[in-house]
Amino acid sequence: MSTENPPRPAGACQPRRPRADRARQVADVLRQQVLSEVYGPRPLPHEEVLAEEFGESRNTIREALDLLRTEGLVRRVPGSGTLVVAEKVPHGLNRLMGLAETLHEHGEVTNEVRSFGPVRAPGPVARRLRLPDGADVVYVERVRRLNGLPLSLDLTYLAPDIGAALDAEDLVHQDVFQLIEEVAGQPLGSADITLEAVNADAHSATVLEVPRGGALLMLERLTTLADGRPVDLEYVRFRGDRITMQGRLLRSAL
Amino acid sequence: MSTENPPRPAGACQPRRPRADRARQVADVLRQQVLSEVYGPRPLPHEEVLAEEFGESRNTIREALDLLRTEGLVRRVPGSGTLVVAEKVPHGLNRLMGLAETLHEHGEVTNEVRSFGPVRAPGPVARRLRLPDGADVVYVERVRRLNGLPLSLDLTYLAPDIGAALDAEDLVHQDVFQLIEEVAGQPLGSADITLEAVNADAHSATVLEVPRGGALLMLERLTTLADGRPVDLEYVRFRGDRITMQGRLLRSAL
């Protein structure tokens, strides 16, 4: 029996599919295994084991592993096989949480404050924060690191009364969410979010230490206090190779 | 007054920031305006109007518009200014919905079925669907289009009893979710999702008609019936330039 053409399962009726299609199919299942740390620090199973598991040829398995390698999820080590090198951490999508809060099990979040101070709000920012045209807001720009490695670049506009009560020192080790709740004396209420995948422009790539064009998860988030007042408008670029967003959706309306 | 150095707002105390930082800051606010269709079919305001609005120089505004142009969100038309060309549609993140269901206001979703039929489930797929090792599942691969343009590439594994009741014809015009609910005689319950940003590999880029390396929003989703049985495991690559995910997060646990 050739390993190049393993028997198709009983009942399969579709014509032979291109190897690239089958490699992607295998890679997608493996990438989820890698991300959910099924393989942990152990190497992935040998090619022949995966070939048997997936009912595919070794060439297809090799092509699937190449896809994961190109993504930076695994690495080939001569003599040791294929090792997981992914360092993606899961950001919760079900509750509104700050970065340090959602990642507390994964390490220490520190923030490099690149800019901090009052600015005149551009019209669209003033309107989202329900401030009069031309009002001041406090602008904060941070590179956020997890265990020292860049994770995201956050551009934040804060309502003036909230922002004025903060100082740059607080922002180095604390989530803005936590600081807002302290200053406002009430919890946050909710946030409207928009997620996108974008390619890193040259300048953002440099700041985040990724190749130009690297995939970023872009988050726009308008956060309100419990009393409904919008106080925090953020534009966040997460490194695509370092974060996943995880949550549960319900079929019925809440 | 030079337009290159507009006065800083009163109270600003940070040192002059690099133009690339300021251009990104402007671009982020504008991109959200573009995506929320504030400018609709009208051109964006003139550079000098934007310069005034943002308190920035025209050179900074031009650099911000360049960022949006590189992303494919706007286009410069001599004599007409900067026009919106973004065709991003919002996918709901708050309720579990199929693509045609969530995008019904935006046009017609059609599906090209690239593969459809029973296959032996790889171990990780069998385990997620709570099937015995070596069980058959039904594999469906579709390119999904909105108004004829590719939107996503979906790789789907269905529980055998559900999948066996479908035929490829049904899949061309209907969401899998709708078909599952018809076959199962009960609504879906919930789905566990993982979202990532990845760069398109060469083969997926071809299928989705994007440049190699283009940013994709990758979704892994395990969907259960109302009775809790997992029946549908999907790996979906959305074109980053065509979709956003939108939802509301609450601060308090539900």
Side-chain angles (χ1 to χ4, degrees):
Chain A
M1 178 173 74
S2 153
T3 54
E4 191 48 40
N5 289 296
R8 301 302 297 166
C13 55
Q14 62 258 56
R16 187 83 181 145
R17 299 161 58 220
R19 187 197 288 161
D21 280 3
R22 291 179 284 120
R24 175 174 52 220
Q25 191 182 342
V26 170
D28 279 358
V29 173
L30 285 178
R31 80 197 306 283
Q32 216 55 39
Q33 296 280 98
V34 164
L35 293 179
S36 58
E37 297 174 55
V38 171
Y39 299 122
R42 290 171 300 140
L44 266 63
H46 283 289
E47 282 173 14
E48 56 264 48
V49 174
L50 292 173
E52 170 63 25
E53 167 94 293
F54 284 91
E56 291 291 352
S57 70
R58 286 185 66 168
N59 282 341
T60 301
I61 298 297
R62 222 169 280 139
E63 197 168 319
L65 293 175
D66 276 341
L67 287 170
L68 300 182
R69 197 150 51 224
T70 305
E71 266 195 67
L73 295 177
V74 301
R75 167 164 85 88
R76 226 186 135 59
V77 178
S80 302
T82 301
L83 301 182
V84 175
V85 289
E87 296 193 85
K88 292 209 188 191
V89 289
H91 191 301
L93 258 185
N94 274 104
R95 262 191 68 204
L96 178 59
M97 287 199 283
L99 199 64
E101 208 177 349
T102 192
L103 300 181
H104 72 276
E105 290 173 4
H106 297 273
E108 194 200 5
V109 172
T110 52
N111 306 302
E112 175 200 334
V113 179
R114 291 164 53 89
S115 182
F116 174 66
V119 297
R120 183 169 63 91
V125 171
R127 287 189 286 278
R128 305 274 325 262
L129 291 172
R130 287 196 227 136
L131 298 170
D133 258 18
D136 266 13
V137 287
V138 172
Y139 178 70
V140 185
E141 189 171 307
R142 296 169 296 165
V143 176
R144 314 197 66 181
R145 292 189 166 80
L146 178 66
N147 301 325
L149 287 175
L151 190 62
S152 69
L153 171 64
D154 296 26
L155 281 51
T156 305
Y157 299 87
L158 295 170
D161 58 316
I162 304 280
L166 306 185
D167 65 51
E169 277 304 303
D170 298 333
L171 290 162
V172 174
H173 291 288
Q174 284 179 279
D175 284 343
V176 163
F177 282 176
Q178 190 187 349
L179 295 167
I180 293 174
E181 290 182 329
E182 282 171 24
V183 170
Q186 63 174 304
L188 298 174
S190 65
D192 288 321
I193 67 164
T194 300
L195 281 169
E196 297 168 76
V198 301
N199 291 102
D201 62 274
H203 183 57
S204 300
T206 304
V207 174
L208 286 168
E209 300 173 25
V210 295
R212 182 174 180 163
L216 304 178
L217 199 57
M218 174 110 195
L219 169 69
E220 197 242 21
R221 180 172 60 194
L222 178 67
T223 304
T224 64
L225 295 175
D227 67 12
R229 177 163 72 107
V231 290
D232 173 9
L233 176 61
E234 300 198 41
Y235 301 88
V236 184
R237 284 169 174 78
F238 289 103
R239 279 176 55 158
D241 62 340
R242 299 216 57 216
I243 204 138
T244 69
M245 296 268 169
Q246 299 189 352
R248 173 168 290 187
L249 307 186
L250 300 178
R251 180 63 163 164
S252 53
L254 288 174
Chain B
M1 179 173 76
S2 154
T3 56
E4 189 51 39
N5 288 298
R8 300 302 298 165
C13 55
Q14 62 259 57
R16 187 84 182 143
R17 299 161 58 219
R19 186 196 289 160
D21 280 3
R22 291 178 284 120
R24 175 176 52 219
Q25 191 182 342
V26 171
D28 279 359
V29 174
L30 285 178
R31 79 198 307 284
Q32 216 56 39
Q33 296 282 97
V34 164
L35 293 179
S36 58
E37 297 175 56
V38 171
Y39 298 122
R42 290 171 300 138
L44 266 62
H46 282 288
E47 283 172 13
E48 55 265 47
V49 175
L50 292 173
E52 170 63 26
E53 166 95 293
F54 284 91
E56 292 290 352
S57 70
R58 286 184 66 168
N59 281 341
T60 301
I61 298 297
R62 221 168 279 139
E63 196 168 319
L65 293 174
D66 275 341
L67 287 170
L68 301 181
R69 196 153 50 227
T70 305
E71 267 195 66
L73 295 176
V74 302
R75 166 164 86 87
R76 223 183 140 59
V77 178
S80 301
T82 301
L83 302 181
V84 174
V85 289
E87 296 194 84
K88 292 209 189 192
V89 289
H91 192 300
L93 258 184
N94 274 103
R95 262 191 67 204
L96 178 60
M97 288 199 282
L99 198 64
E101 207 177 348
T102 193
L103 299 181
H104 72 276
E105 289 173 3
H106 296 272
E108 194 200 4
V109 172
T110 52
N111 305 301
E112 175 199 333
V113 179
R114 291 165 53 90
S115 182
F116 173 65
V119 296
R120 182 168 63 91
V125 171
R127 286 188 287 279
R128 305 273 327 260
L129 291 172
R130 288 196 227 135
L131 298 169
D133 258 18
D136 266 12
V137 287
V138 171
Y139 178 70
V140 185
E141 189 171 307
R142 294 168 298 166
V143 175
R144 315 196 68 180
R145 293 188 167 81
L146 177 66
N147 302 326
L149 286 175
L151 190 63
S152 69
L153 171 63
D154 296 26
L155 281 52
T156 305
Y157 299 87
L158 296 169
D161 58 316
I162 304 279
L166 306 185
D167 65 53
E169 277 304 304
D170 297 332
L171 290 163
V172 174
H173 291 287
Q174 284 179 279
D175 284 342
V176 162
F177 281 177
Q178 188 186 352
L179 295 166
I180 294 174
E181 290 183 327
E182 283 171 24
V183 169
Q186 62 174 304
L188 298 174
S190 66
D192 288 321
I193 67 166
T194 299
L195 281 169
E196 298 167 77
V198 301
N199 291 103
D201 62 274
H203 183 58
S204 299
T206 305
V207 173
L208 285 167
E209 300 172 24
V210 295
R212 181 173 181 164
L216 304 178
L217 199 58
M218 174 108 195
L219 169 68
E220 197 242 22
R221 180 172 60 194
L222 178 67
T223 304
T224 64
L225 295 175
D227 67 13
R229 177 163 72 106
V231 290
D232 173 9
L233 176 61
E234 299 197 44
Y235 302 88
V236 183
R237 284 169 175 78
F238 289 102
R239 279 177 56 158
D241 63 339
R242 300 217 56 217
I243 203 138
T244 69
M245 297 268 168
Q246 299 189 353
R248 173 167 291 187
L249 307 187
L250 300 179
R251 179 64 164 164
S252 53
L254 288 174

